[in-house]
Amino acid sequence: MKEKIFIYQVLPRLFGNEKSLNKENGSLEENGVGKFSAFDNKALKEIKKMGYTHIWYTGILEHASKTDYSDFGILKDHPDVIKGNAGSPYAIRDYYDVTPDLADSVGDRMSEFEALVERTHKNGMKVIMDFVPNHVARQYRSDAKPEDVKDFGADDDTSSAFSPDNNFYYIPGQKLELQFPVQQGEGAYDEYPAKATGNDCFSNKPSVSDWYETVKLNYGVDYNNGRRNHFALIPDTWSKMKDILLYWTAKGVDGFRCDMAEMVPVEFWNWVIPKVKAKNKSLLFIAEVYNPEQYNNYVHWGLFDYLYDKVDLYDTLRDVICGHKPTSEITFCWQRIDGLQQKMLNFLENHDEQRIASDFFAGDPFKAIPGMIVTATMNTNPVMIYFGQELGERGMDKEGFSGCDGRTTIFDYWSVDSVSKWRNGGSFGNSELNDSQIKLRKFYTQLLQIAGTDESINSGKFYDLMYANYENPLFDSTKQYTFLRSSKKEFVLVIANFDEVDKEVVVDIPEDAFDFMDIIPYKIKVAKELFANKDFKLPANWYQSLKVSVNAHSGKIIRFSMS
């Protein structure tokens, strides 16, 4: 039976933070910070128990921060080019090091990370970490690189706006002029010549809405002259990035979530992924790609294992959950990427998106239950859940740089209330959770375990029933979504009800569905509701139309089998 991948995305900086002061714009000393050690065997067993196969530890690479670690040989960053006090995990300061915030002993931070990888493996899960290939912190410098490695930009010709041998892009003869209030005089940040900013801003005057804390890396693409590629000789940035990936692979990392992968030429991925997988063929490469027109390119030529399914399934489900689109739109999601469904990573939350329970999304985590059922069971592909999602974390704190935006901050030192209560000082359990949190967490645990162990879901065929029920007066194709998943001798019927009221629906199942699944319906003897863990009575002629009661904002998964 194929393993279905379930990824638990978590920011260690926030996960293990035991302080609850949560002062707006607070420092590390005031607000505290989580550590690698918070993921002890007890914590990892609790995560594994839910059904996760992988943990994406977000924010591991050393990134720019306002916390001073100069006593440990780490040069201070200028505050004008840092977002928040903790800094963005995507403004990398040293690709060969881990962030010192996460270590109990700063001098032993790498060995502490290596121990975390080992603990995660011993508890039956694999480790995913960020690979941030498109940009670095404005003051990138590596104090942990191997002796034979040169820093990015060390040999650049800074008089050239573009050179295939440069690691950065420059605006020759002009200094960086940040377009917002900054320090002046002796304390001013000085960058001359200015470098291009990470979001393809080829100006010396990035605004506050640009990724002003980052510098764009040069992969041999001349953006100012028709985006011409210079790949005849392998660009220096390619080789440097290959060595970085191999460095972390050697430390036991099992996969890389590649930040803004589509901003890096697909030719690089085609070149580098086979070289890294030669060291570990089971490595996962997950691409953050938002342009559906590039999906085939980054899968078939770029050789990624999985891509974010953000602009299709996530965006559609969000609109359905919020009542802006009918459920029939979900069908168009898989049709638009037909043939690539198994290559998509499904989710309803991550660090970039607003929390389901926030005022900016659904305002109630239970409204997303039908969407989460679809997300987890629609195909064999991986599913990701963001820490706190299973507890209904609202993300409505005003932490500092991020403000009150419905997201959990990635820029500030903070403690996540719902997660802290579940952690309960490291003892875990439900004693500090309210009834709603306990109920929601039970649902997520059940869902992951059902989707992870049911053969029809984790490795079977998919058959959309919406077309067969479009004109069915006893099925609302604007509020319900239904489909089949099948294995060799059994199948499951999934019904998701996005309506605000309980519904008794009748689902028509065409003969074509059984032909497609290669199942003879009269041989089916029993059926079982998997969430309720109880038998489902099969009436006569059930295989033509089936009556099912489904609660508001809920769903049912019914397994049909021969015995």
Side-chain angles (χ1 to χ4, degrees):
M1 183 174 68
K2 177 184 174 183
E3 177 186 65
K4 187 172 173 72
I5 293 172
F6 291 100
I7 300 170
Y8 185 65
Q9 185 197 359
V10 57
L11 272 76
R13 180 204 290 168
L14 304 179
F15 177 83
N17 189 5
E18 299 294 347
K19 280 196 175 182
S20 57
L21 175 64
N22 281 350
K23 175 185 175 182
E24 186 178 352
N25 287 310
S27 66
L28 184 153
E29 290 74 19
E30 292 169 320
N31 282 357
V33 69
K35 305 291 183 180
F36 291 132
S37 57
F39 296 91
D40 57 12
N41 286 317
K42 173 66 173 173
L44 292 168
K45 282 180 170 60
E46 290 295 325
I47 295 169
K48 174 66 176 177
K49 195 187 300 180
M50 283 192 70
Y52 293 104
T53 59
H54 294 64
I55 302 182
W56 167 15
Y57 294 110
T58 304
I60 294 296
L61 290 172
E62 184 184 309
H63 52 270
S65 167
K66 290 179 184 173
T67 301
D68 185 358
Y69 287 103
S70 55
D71 288 346
F72 298 90
I74 300 172
L75 295 177
K76 291 177 64 175
D77 292 297
H78 196 284
D80 285 347
V81 287
I82 302 172
K83 290 181 176 178
N85 285 329
S88 167
Y90 298 98
I92 304 304
R93 181 170 59 193
D94 189 345
Y95 280 116
Y96 285 98
D97 209 348
V98 297
T99 180
D101 281 351
L102 304 180
D104 292 312
S105 171
V106 174
D108 298 322
R109 59 191 179 277
M110 187 58 75
S111 61
E112 288 188 28
F113 171 72
E114 291 167 348
L116 172 63
V117 173
E118 184 177 356
R119 279 198 307 278
T120 306
H121 289 164
K122 284 184 176 179
N123 282 281
M125 292 175 289
K126 295 182 178 180
V127 173
I128 294 173
M129 68 179 291
D130 289 292
F131 176 54
V132 187
N134 177 64
H135 48 265
V136 296
R138 292 215 91 96
Q139 294 179 289
Y140 182 93
R141 64 266 168 173
S142 175
D143 54 72
K145 64 185 186 297
E147 289 185 7
D148 59 341
V149 172
K150 287 189 176 182
D151 253 346
F152 287 91
D155 294 331
D156 280 7
D157 174 7
T158 61
S159 66
S160 297
F162 167 80
S163 168
D165 296 322
N166 280 355
N167 297 135
F168 299 125
Y169 297 92
Y170 296 91
I171 299 92
Q174 299 184 58
K175 70 174 185 177
L176 183 74
E177 297 180 18
L178 298 170
Q179 300 300 292
F180 48 87
V182 294
Q183 294 186 33
Q184 303 293 330
E186 289 186 7
Y189 175 71
D190 182 35
E191 181 178 299
Y192 182 89
K195 302 181 186 75
T197 299
N199 60 319
D200 293 359
C201 173
F202 295 90
S203 162
N204 70 316
K205 297 180 180 180
S207 71
V208 71
S209 60
D210 287 308
W211 303 348
Y212 64 83
E213 82 282 20
T214 69
V215 175
K216 173 81 173 177
L217 282 166
N218 174 5
Y219 282 80
V221 181
D222 188 353
Y223 287 88
N224 291 325
N225 289 288
R227 298 177 66 100
R228 286 193 297 172
N229 296 336
H230 295 259
F231 304 152
L233 297 176
I234 298 301
D236 183 67
T237 301
W238 290 28
S239 298
K240 280 184 165 68
M241 285 302 190
K242 177 200 70 177
D243 292 342
I244 290 163
L245 286 166
L246 290 172
Y247 174 83
W248 293 104
T249 300
K251 291 191 177 295
V253 171
D254 303 289
F256 299 95
R257 179 270 187 187
C258 300
D259 184 71
M260 296 309 297
E262 67 181 323
M263 295 183 77
V264 172
V266 71
E267 291 86 352
F268 165 73
W269 300 112
N270 174 267
W271 176 83
V272 78
I273 288 177
K275 287 177 168 52
V276 181
K277 284 197 173 188
K279 299 295 183 181
N280 179 358
K281 64 181 181 181
S282 64
L283 270 174
L284 291 182
F285 279 83
I286 301 169
E288 183 186 20
V289 176
Y290 294 126
N291 182 1
E293 293 181 1
Q294 291 293 324
Y295 284 179
N296 274 293
N297 202 17
Y298 277 79
V299 167
H300 298 305
W301 181 237
L303 304 177
F304 275 96
D305 296 290
Y306 303 106
L307 313 179
Y308 266 37
D309 197 359
K310 195 272 181 190
V311 298
D312 258 327
L313 190 62
Y314 168 85
D315 284 349
T316 299
L317 284 174
R318 176 170 176 152
D319 281 342
V320 171
I321 291 165
C322 295
H324 303 319
K325 284 184 178 179
T327 49
S328 55
E329 288 290 323
I330 301 170
T331 297
F332 300 129
C333 291
W334 67 261
Q335 288 179 337
R336 277 191 292 267
I337 57 166
D338 193 22
L340 287 180
Q341 301 98 308
Q342 295 181 8
K343 291 290 188 177
M344 307 309 290
L345 171 67
N346 292 351
F347 55 84
L348 279 184
E349 282 191 0
N350 64 42
H351 68 277
D352 285 319
E353 308 302 337
Q354 290 167 325
R355 292 285 192 175
I356 294 164
S358 75
D359 295 347
F360 300 90
F361 191 161
D364 178 352
F366 290 93
K367 289 184 178 180
I369 283 180
M372 198 61 228
I373 291 172
V374 172
T375 296
T377 64
M378 194 174 177
N379 215 295
T380 61
N381 55 323
V383 175
M384 183 170 72
I385 291 174
Y386 191 37
F387 80 122
Q389 177 181 343
E390 75 282 11
L391 299 166
E393 175 58 37
R394 299 196 67 228
M396 292 298 294
D397 296 330
K398 188 180 179 184
E399 304 102 335
F401 182 85
S402 67
C404 183
D405 60 0
R407 298 174 178 87
T408 294
T409 181
I410 64 169
F411 305 107
D412 306 286
Y413 294 112
W414 205 254
S415 176
V416 181
D417 181 65
S418 61
V419 175
S420 295
K421 287 179 177 176
W422 171 57
R423 277 184 44 78
N424 195 15
S427 61
F428 293 89
N430 294 338
S431 62
E432 298 298 313
L433 301 179
N434 61 39
D435 290 344
S436 292
Q437 290 170 324
I438 293 170
K439 180 181 178 182
L440 190 67
R441 190 170 182 277
K442 179 182 178 182
F443 158 74
Y444 274 91
T445 301
Q446 276 191 299
L447 178 63
L448 266 61
Q449 291 174 350
I450 290 169
T453 58
D454 188 277
E455 187 175 359
S456 295
I457 295 172
N458 62 39
S459 55
K461 298 177 181 178
F462 167 81
Y463 189 96
D464 194 316
L465 289 170
M466 294 298 283
Y467 87 95
N469 288 276
Y470 182 70
E471 296 182 351
N472 178 355
L474 300 177
F475 183 91
D476 186 349
S477 60
T478 69
K479 293 295 184 182
Q480 285 94 48
Y481 185 69
T482 184
F483 57 90
L484 302 171
R485 299 294 311 283
S486 67
S487 58
K488 291 181 179 179
K489 295 183 179 180
E490 61 184 34
F491 69 94
V492 297
L493 170 68
V494 179
I495 306 174
N497 180 23
F498 292 82
D499 209 336
E500 296 181 353
V501 295
D502 299 349
K503 286 287 184 176
E504 189 171 80
V505 301
V506 174
V507 178
D508 292 338
I509 307 176
E511 289 185 19
D512 285 350
F514 293 105
D515 292 339
F516 174 77
M517 294 186 295
D518 197 23
I519 286 176
I520 301 172
Y522 67 78
K523 288 190 176 182
I524 297 295
K525 303 297 182 184
V526 295
K528 186 175 185 178
E529 289 186 31
L530 298 187
F531 281 123
N533 193 27
K534 66 179 184 181
D535 291 339
F536 181 85
K537 186 176 180 180
L538 289 175
N541 298 324
W542 65 267
Y543 45 83
Q544 293 176 343
S545 62
L546 190 68
K547 183 184 292 185
V548 183
S549 298
V550 193
N551 290 337
H553 300 306
S554 185
K556 284 192 175 178
I557 303 175
I558 304 171
R559 180 193 291 142
F560 299 77
S561 54
M562 295 171 64
S563 60

